[in-house]
Amino acid sequence: MTRCKLQQADNAFRILYPRSGSTPPPRFDEERCAQSQAKAPFDLALSQLEGAGGCPPVALLNAHELGNALLAGSSTPGSLGVLSGAVYCDATSGMPIDPAPSASPGDGGFVPSTARHLRCSDAVEKSLALLARGITLCHLKLARAVFDNRPLAHEPVARGVGYEPQLSEFVRSIEVFSEEACERRAQARYEHTARRLTARGMCPPCLDLTQQLALREGTVASAEQESGRLFVCPESTRSTTTTSTTTTSATRPSTTSTEPTTTTTTGPPTTSTTVTTTTRPPTTSTEPATTTTTRSPTTSTTSTTLLPCAGPFPACRGDCPAGLRCKSNHLLGACVCE
Protein backbone atom coordinates (compact mmCIF):
# COMPACT_ATOMS: atom_id res chain seq x y z
CA MET A 1 0.00 0.00 0.00
CA THR A 2 2.76 2.47 0.86
CA ARG A 3 4.57 1.70 -2.38
CA CYS A 4 1.40 2.46 -4.37
CA LYS A 5 0.90 5.75 -2.53
CA LEU A 6 4.49 6.79 -3.23
CA GLN A 7 4.18 5.97 -6.93
CA GLN A 8 0.92 7.92 -7.14
CA ALA A 9 2.43 11.03 -5.50
CA ASP A 10 5.57 10.95 -7.66
CA ASN A 11 3.48 10.43 -10.81
CA ALA A 12 1.21 13.37 -9.96
CA PHE A 13 4.26 15.57 -9.38
CA ARG A 14 5.73 14.64 -12.80
CA ILE A 15 2.42 15.42 -14.49
CA LEU A 16 2.17 18.84 -12.82
CA TYR A 17 5.88 19.64 -13.21
CA PRO A 18 7.13 17.73 -16.27
CA ARG A 19 10.82 17.64 -17.02
CA SER A 20 12.03 20.02 -19.64
CA GLY A 21 11.57 18.61 -23.10
CA SER A 22 9.72 15.49 -21.89
CA THR A 23 6.12 14.44 -22.22
CA PRO A 24 4.10 14.16 -18.98
CA PRO A 25 3.58 10.49 -18.04
CA PRO A 26 0.13 8.89 -17.98
CA ARG A 27 -1.72 9.08 -14.70
CA PHE A 28 -0.92 6.28 -12.27
CA ASP A 29 -3.83 4.01 -11.23
CA GLU A 30 -3.30 3.83 -7.46
CA GLU A 31 -6.53 1.94 -6.81
CA ARG A 32 -5.60 -0.84 -9.20
CA CYS A 33 -2.12 -1.04 -7.69
CA ALA A 34 -3.55 -1.31 -4.16
CA GLN A 35 -6.00 -4.03 -5.15
CA SER A 36 -3.47 -6.19 -7.02
CA GLN A 37 -0.39 -5.74 -4.82
CA ALA A 38 -1.94 -5.44 -1.37
CA LYS A 39 -5.64 -6.23 -1.02
CA ALA A 40 -5.75 -9.37 -3.17
CA PRO A 41 -2.79 -11.08 -1.42
CA PHE A 42 -4.23 -10.02 1.93
CA ASP A 43 -7.64 -11.55 1.17
CA LEU A 44 -5.98 -14.73 -0.12
CA ALA A 45 -3.97 -15.12 3.09
CA LEU A 46 -7.10 -14.67 5.21
CA SER A 47 -9.04 -17.20 3.16
CA GLN A 48 -6.25 -19.74 3.67
CA LEU A 49 -6.36 -19.13 7.42
CA GLU A 50 -10.10 -19.60 7.41
CA GLY A 51 -9.73 -22.87 5.54
CA ALA A 52 -7.11 -24.12 7.99
CA GLY A 53 -9.51 -23.47 10.89
CA GLY A 54 -6.82 -22.46 13.37
CA CYS A 55 -7.85 -18.84 13.94
CA PRO A 56 -10.69 -17.53 16.11
CA PRO A 57 -13.54 -16.40 13.85
CA VAL A 58 -13.73 -13.00 15.55
CA ALA A 59 -10.04 -12.34 14.80
CA LEU A 60 -10.53 -13.12 11.09
CA LEU A 61 -13.62 -10.91 10.99
CA ASN A 62 -11.71 -8.02 12.56
CA ALA A 63 -8.83 -8.53 10.13
CA HIS A 64 -11.23 -8.22 7.18
CA GLU A 65 -12.66 -5.02 8.65
CA LEU A 66 -9.20 -3.52 9.22
CA GLY A 67 -8.14 -4.32 5.64
CA ASN A 68 -11.26 -2.68 4.23
CA ALA A 69 -10.77 0.37 6.45
CA LEU A 70 -7.25 0.95 5.12
CA LEU A 71 -8.58 1.18 1.56
CA ALA A 72 -11.50 3.44 2.48
CA GLY A 73 -11.66 7.14 1.64
CA SER A 74 -10.90 10.19 3.70
CA SER A 75 -14.23 9.91 5.52
CA THR A 76 -13.03 6.74 7.27
CA PRO A 77 -10.69 7.30 10.27
CA GLY A 78 -7.51 5.25 10.05
CA SER A 79 -7.58 4.91 6.24
CA LEU A 80 -4.44 5.45 4.19
CA GLY A 81 -6.22 8.30 2.41
CA VAL A 82 -6.44 10.19 5.70
CA LEU A 83 -2.81 9.46 6.51
CA SER A 84 -1.58 10.52 3.07
CA GLY A 85 -3.56 13.73 3.38
CA ALA A 86 -1.59 14.54 6.55
CA VAL A 87 1.76 13.62 4.95
CA TYR A 88 1.29 15.34 1.56
CA CYS A 89 -0.04 18.47 3.23
CA ASP A 90 1.65 21.13 1.09
CA ALA A 91 -1.40 22.66 -0.62
CA THR A 92 0.53 25.48 -2.31
CA SER A 93 0.12 23.90 -5.73
CA GLY A 94 -3.63 23.58 -5.23
CA MET A 95 -3.60 20.28 -7.15
CA PRO A 96 -4.85 17.13 -5.39
CA ILE A 97 -2.78 14.02 -5.88
CA ASP A 98 -5.97 12.15 -6.79
CA PRO A 99 -7.99 14.38 -9.14
CA ALA A 100 -10.74 11.77 -9.65
CA PRO A 101 -14.25 13.31 -9.53
CA SER A 102 -15.25 10.87 -6.78
CA ALA A 103 -12.35 11.92 -4.58
CA SER A 104 -12.86 14.52 -1.88
CA PRO A 105 -10.64 17.64 -1.95
CA GLY A 106 -7.40 16.75 -0.26
CA ASP A 107 -8.12 13.02 -0.22
CA GLY A 108 -4.65 11.54 -0.43
CA GLY A 109 -3.05 14.98 -0.08
CA PHE A 110 -1.85 17.59 -2.55
CA VAL A 111 0.96 17.57 -5.09
CA PRO A 112 3.98 19.13 -3.31
CA SER A 113 5.08 22.50 -4.65
CA THR A 114 8.82 21.64 -4.82
CA ALA A 115 10.94 18.56 -5.38
CA ARG A 116 12.41 18.91 -1.89
CA HIS A 117 8.97 18.91 -0.33
CA LEU A 118 8.13 15.82 -2.38
CA ARG A 119 11.22 14.01 -1.08
CA CYS A 120 10.35 15.00 2.48
CA SER A 121 6.78 13.73 2.20
CA ASP A 122 7.95 10.50 0.56
CA ALA A 123 10.48 9.96 3.35
CA VAL A 124 7.86 10.56 6.06
CA GLU A 125 5.45 8.15 4.33
CA LYS A 126 8.13 5.43 4.27
CA SER A 127 9.16 6.15 7.86
CA LEU A 128 5.57 5.82 9.11
CA ALA A 129 5.20 2.49 7.31
CA LEU A 130 8.41 1.23 8.93
CA LEU A 131 7.20 2.45 12.34
CA ALA A 132 3.87 0.60 12.00
CA ARG A 133 5.75 -2.51 10.92
CA GLY A 134 8.14 -2.25 13.87
CA ILE A 135 5.37 -1.80 16.46
CA THR A 136 3.48 -4.74 14.98
CA LEU A 137 6.57 -6.94 15.17
CA CYS A 138 6.94 -6.01 18.85
CA HIS A 139 3.37 -7.16 19.47
CA LEU A 140 4.02 -10.42 17.64
CA LYS A 141 7.15 -11.04 19.71
CA LEU A 142 5.23 -10.31 22.91
CA ALA A 143 2.49 -12.78 21.99
CA ARG A 144 5.09 -15.45 21.18
CA ALA A 145 6.96 -14.81 24.46
CA VAL A 146 3.74 -15.14 26.47
CA PHE A 147 2.77 -18.29 24.60
CA ASP A 148 6.22 -19.82 25.25
CA ASN A 149 6.02 -18.78 28.95
CA ARG A 150 9.21 -16.74 28.63
CA PRO A 151 10.06 -14.12 31.27
CA LEU A 152 8.92 -10.58 30.47
CA ALA A 153 10.37 -7.27 31.58
CA HIS A 154 8.69 -3.89 31.75
CA GLU A 155 12.06 -2.15 31.60
CA PRO A 156 15.30 -2.98 29.71
CA VAL A 157 17.39 -5.56 31.52
CA ALA A 158 20.78 -4.29 32.70
CA ARG A 159 22.77 -7.24 31.48
CA GLY A 160 25.92 -7.68 33.49
CA VAL A 161 26.04 -4.19 34.98
CA GLY A 162 27.17 -4.17 38.61
CA TYR A 163 27.29 -7.96 38.99
CA GLU A 164 30.07 -10.36 39.82
CA PRO A 165 31.53 -12.15 36.76
CA GLN A 166 29.68 -15.43 37.31
CA LEU A 167 26.36 -13.73 38.07
CA SER A 168 26.87 -11.36 35.16
CA GLU A 169 27.22 -14.32 32.80
CA PHE A 170 24.04 -15.85 34.19
CA VAL A 171 22.07 -12.59 33.75
CA ARG A 172 23.21 -12.29 30.14
CA SER A 173 22.04 -15.84 29.47
CA ILE A 174 18.44 -15.09 30.53
CA GLU A 175 16.17 -14.42 27.57
CA VAL A 176 13.89 -11.63 28.76
CA PHE A 177 11.63 -9.78 26.34
CA SER A 178 10.63 -6.17 26.98
CA GLU A 179 7.86 -4.86 24.76
CA GLU A 180 8.47 -1.30 25.98
CA ALA A 181 12.13 -1.46 24.93
CA CYS A 182 11.18 -2.94 21.56
CA GLU A 183 8.68 -0.17 20.85
CA ARG A 184 11.07 2.53 22.05
CA ARG A 185 13.65 1.37 19.49
CA ALA A 186 11.09 1.56 16.67
CA GLN A 187 9.98 5.04 17.74
CA ALA A 188 13.58 6.22 18.15
CA ARG A 189 14.38 5.23 14.54
CA TYR A 190 11.38 7.24 13.33
CA GLU A 191 12.35 10.29 15.41
CA HIS A 192 15.94 10.14 14.11
CA THR A 193 14.65 10.30 10.52
CA ALA A 194 12.25 13.14 11.37
CA ARG A 195 15.00 15.25 12.96
CA ARG A 196 17.32 14.61 10.02
CA LEU A 197 14.68 15.76 7.50
CA THR A 198 13.80 18.93 9.39
CA ALA A 199 17.47 19.77 10.00
CA ARG A 200 18.07 19.73 6.24
CA GLY A 201 15.18 22.12 5.64
CA MET A 202 13.48 19.75 3.21
CA CYS A 203 9.98 19.75 4.65
CA PRO A 204 7.09 22.20 4.21
CA PRO A 205 5.89 24.13 7.29
CA CYS A 206 2.89 21.80 7.67
CA LEU A 207 5.29 18.88 8.13
CA ASP A 208 7.66 20.27 10.75
CA LEU A 209 9.13 18.21 13.58
CA THR A 210 6.11 18.73 15.84
CA GLN A 211 3.72 17.47 13.17
CA GLN A 212 5.92 14.48 12.34
CA LEU A 213 6.08 13.47 15.99
CA ALA A 214 2.29 13.82 16.21
CA LEU A 215 1.97 11.47 13.24
CA ARG A 216 4.19 9.02 15.13
CA GLU A 217 1.93 9.05 18.16
CA GLY A 218 -1.13 8.47 16.01
CA THR A 219 0.49 5.55 14.20
CA VAL A 220 1.52 3.89 17.47
CA ALA A 221 -1.98 4.31 18.91
CA SER A 222 -3.54 2.78 15.79
CA ALA A 223 -1.16 -0.19 15.90
CA GLU A 224 -2.02 -0.79 19.56
CA GLN A 225 -5.74 -0.72 18.84
CA GLU A 226 -5.44 -3.05 15.83
CA SER A 227 -3.40 -5.58 17.80
CA GLY A 228 -6.08 -5.62 20.49
CA ARG A 229 -8.65 -6.62 17.86
CA LEU A 230 -6.48 -9.40 16.41
CA PHE A 231 -5.12 -10.98 19.61
CA VAL A 232 -8.48 -11.88 21.12
CA CYS A 233 -8.87 -13.64 24.46
CA PRO A 234 -9.22 -17.44 24.22
CA GLU A 235 -12.25 -19.21 25.64
CA SER A 236 -11.82 -19.95 29.34
CA THR A 237 -11.43 -23.57 30.36
CA ARG A 238 -12.97 -25.02 33.50
CA SER A 239 -11.04 -27.49 35.61
CA THR A 240 -12.51 -30.06 37.99
CA THR A 241 -10.64 -31.11 41.13
CA THR A 242 -11.58 -34.22 43.12
CA THR A 243 -10.76 -34.06 46.81
CA SER A 244 -10.70 -37.19 48.97
CA THR A 245 -11.09 -36.70 52.71
CA THR A 246 -10.36 -39.49 55.22
CA THR A 247 -11.51 -39.11 58.80
CA THR A 248 -10.94 -41.39 61.80
CA SER A 249 -13.15 -41.14 64.88
CA ALA A 250 -13.76 -43.20 68.02
CA THR A 251 -17.44 -43.40 68.85
CA ARG A 252 -18.64 -43.82 72.40
CA PRO A 253 -21.80 -45.51 73.53
CA SER A 254 -23.73 -44.35 70.40
CA THR A 255 -22.39 -45.52 66.99
CA THR A 256 -23.86 -44.38 63.65
CA SER A 257 -22.54 -45.37 60.20
CA THR A 258 -23.92 -44.68 56.70
CA GLU A 259 -21.70 -47.17 54.85
CA PRO A 260 -20.16 -50.56 55.75
CA THR A 261 -17.57 -50.25 58.50
CA THR A 262 -15.88 -52.81 60.62
CA THR A 263 -16.03 -52.07 64.36
CA THR A 264 -14.28 -54.04 67.05
CA THR A 265 -15.68 -53.52 70.55
CA THR A 266 -13.65 -54.78 73.49
CA GLY A 267 -15.15 -54.96 76.94
CA PRO A 268 -15.33 -57.43 79.79
CA PRO A 269 -16.11 -60.18 79.73
CA THR A 270 -16.41 -60.86 75.95
CA THR A 271 -14.90 -59.56 72.68
CA SER A 272 -17.10 -59.35 69.61
CA THR A 273 -16.64 -58.21 66.02
CA THR A 274 -19.68 -56.66 64.40
CA VAL A 275 -20.18 -55.66 60.75
CA THR A 276 -22.61 -52.76 60.65
CA THR A 277 -24.33 -52.03 57.37
CA THR A 278 -27.23 -49.90 58.52
CA THR A 279 -27.88 -47.23 61.09
CA ARG A 280 -28.53 -48.84 64.47
CA PRO A 281 -30.10 -47.30 67.52
CA PRO A 282 -27.97 -45.84 70.26
CA THR A 283 -26.45 -48.42 72.65
CA THR A 284 -26.05 -47.50 76.27
CA SER A 285 -23.69 -49.41 78.55
CA THR A 286 -23.10 -48.96 82.26
CA GLU A 287 -19.55 -50.21 81.86
CA PRO A 288 -16.83 -48.15 80.20
CA ALA A 289 -16.58 -49.18 76.58
CA THR A 290 -13.61 -48.69 74.31
CA THR A 291 -14.26 -48.54 70.59
CA THR A 292 -11.38 -48.96 68.14
CA THR A 293 -11.95 -48.19 64.48
CA THR A 294 -9.88 -50.49 62.28
CA ARG A 295 -11.15 -49.00 59.02
CA SER A 296 -11.80 -45.28 58.88
CA PRO A 297 -14.79 -43.99 56.97
CA THR A 298 -13.77 -42.43 53.69
CA THR A 299 -15.74 -39.53 52.31
CA SER A 300 -15.09 -38.65 48.68
CA THR A 301 -16.29 -35.26 47.53
CA THR A 302 -16.03 -33.78 44.08
CA SER A 303 -15.87 -30.04 43.79
CA THR A 304 -15.33 -27.68 40.91
CA THR A 305 -12.62 -25.13 41.63
CA LEU A 306 -12.63 -22.03 39.45
CA LEU A 307 -9.20 -20.54 38.88
CA PRO A 308 -9.41 -16.75 39.20
CA CYS A 309 -9.28 -14.70 36.00
CA ALA A 310 -5.81 -13.19 35.77
CA GLY A 311 -2.90 -12.45 33.49
CA PRO A 312 -2.04 -9.73 30.95
CA PHE A 313 -4.02 -9.59 27.70
CA PRO A 314 -3.76 -11.53 25.33
CA ALA A 315 -2.56 -14.28 27.70
CA CYS A 316 -5.70 -14.37 29.84
CA ARG A 317 -5.86 -17.37 32.16
CA GLY A 318 -8.43 -18.65 34.62
CA ASP A 319 -12.18 -18.97 34.78
CA CYS A 320 -15.22 -16.80 35.18
CA PRO A 321 -18.78 -17.45 36.39
CA ALA A 322 -21.29 -18.70 33.87
CA GLY A 323 -22.07 -16.14 31.18
CA LEU A 324 -18.80 -14.17 31.61
CA ARG A 325 -15.46 -14.38 29.84
CA CYS A 326 -11.94 -13.74 31.03
CA LYS A 327 -10.69 -10.94 28.79
CA SER A 328 -9.49 -7.36 28.47
CA ASN A 329 -10.05 -4.63 25.91
CA HIS A 330 -6.44 -3.44 25.95
CA LEU A 331 -3.17 -5.13 25.04
CA LEU A 332 -1.34 -6.12 28.27
CA GLY A 333 -4.30 -4.87 30.26
CA ALA A 334 -5.35 -6.83 33.33
CA CYS A 335 -7.72 -9.64 32.41
CA VAL A 336 -11.10 -9.44 34.16
CA CYS A 337 -14.43 -11.26 33.97
CA GLU A 338 -16.79 -9.46 31.61
Side-chain angles (χ1 to χ4, degrees), residues 59-242:
L60 294 175
L61 178 62
N62 291 340
H64 278 294
E65 293 179 354
L66 291 173
N68 293 333
L70 288 176
L71 292 175
S74 59
S75 59
T76 303
S79 67
L80 290 182
V82 174
L83 180 61
S84 295
V87 173
Y88 295 94
C89 55
D90 181 11
T92 305
S93 67
M95 177 62 67
I97 292 178
D98 186 3
S102 59
S104 302
D107 184 12
F110 294 90
V111 179
S113 58
T114 67
R116 289 175 65 84
H117 290 177
L118 174 65
R119 289 197 296 271
C120 173
S121 296
D122 286 350
V124 173
E125 184 87 357
K126 294 178 184 177
S127 187
L128 286 173
L130 292 175
L131 174 62
R133 173 183 170 86
I135 297 298
T136 302
L137 288 176
C138 292
H139 295 167
L140 293 176
K141 291 179 180 179
L142 173 64
R144 173 56 60 181
V146 173
F147 182 80
D148 293 338
N149 199 26
R150 289 167 47 195
L152 304 177
H154 296 289
E155 292 295 335
V157 179
R159 296 187 175 274
V161 178
Y163 299 116
E164 295 295 331
Q166 293 181 349
L167 184 57
S168 174
E169 185 67 24
F170 171 73
V171 172
R172 283 195 296 268
S173 66
I174 301 177
E175 295 184 4
V176 179
F177 177 73
S178 173
E179 184 201 16
E180 288 81 1
C182 180
E183 292 186 354
R184 277 197 293 267
R185 288 191 294 268
Q187 297 185 47
R189 287 192 294 267
Y190 175 88
E191 184 174 347
H192 175 75
T193 301
R195 292 186 179 279
R196 177 172 54 84
L197 292 173
T198 53
R200 293 180 179 180
M202 298 177 57
C203 301
C206 62
L207 206 57
D208 58 6
L209 180 60
T210 301
Q211 177 63 17
Q212 291 188 45
L213 295 182
L215 290 174
R216 177 188 66 178
E217 300 304 319
T219 300
V220 172
S222 297
E224 296 283 355
Q225 183 179 7
E226 292 169 1
S227 294
R229 297 185 62 189
L230 296 178
F231 290 97
V232 295
C233 286
E235 293 293 337
S236 60
T237 304
R238 295 184 179 273
S239 61
T240 303
T241 304
T242 301

Side-chain angles (χ1 to χ4, degrees), residues 265-272 285 287-289:
T265 304
T266 303
T270 60
T271 301
S272 63
S285 175
E287 296 180 351

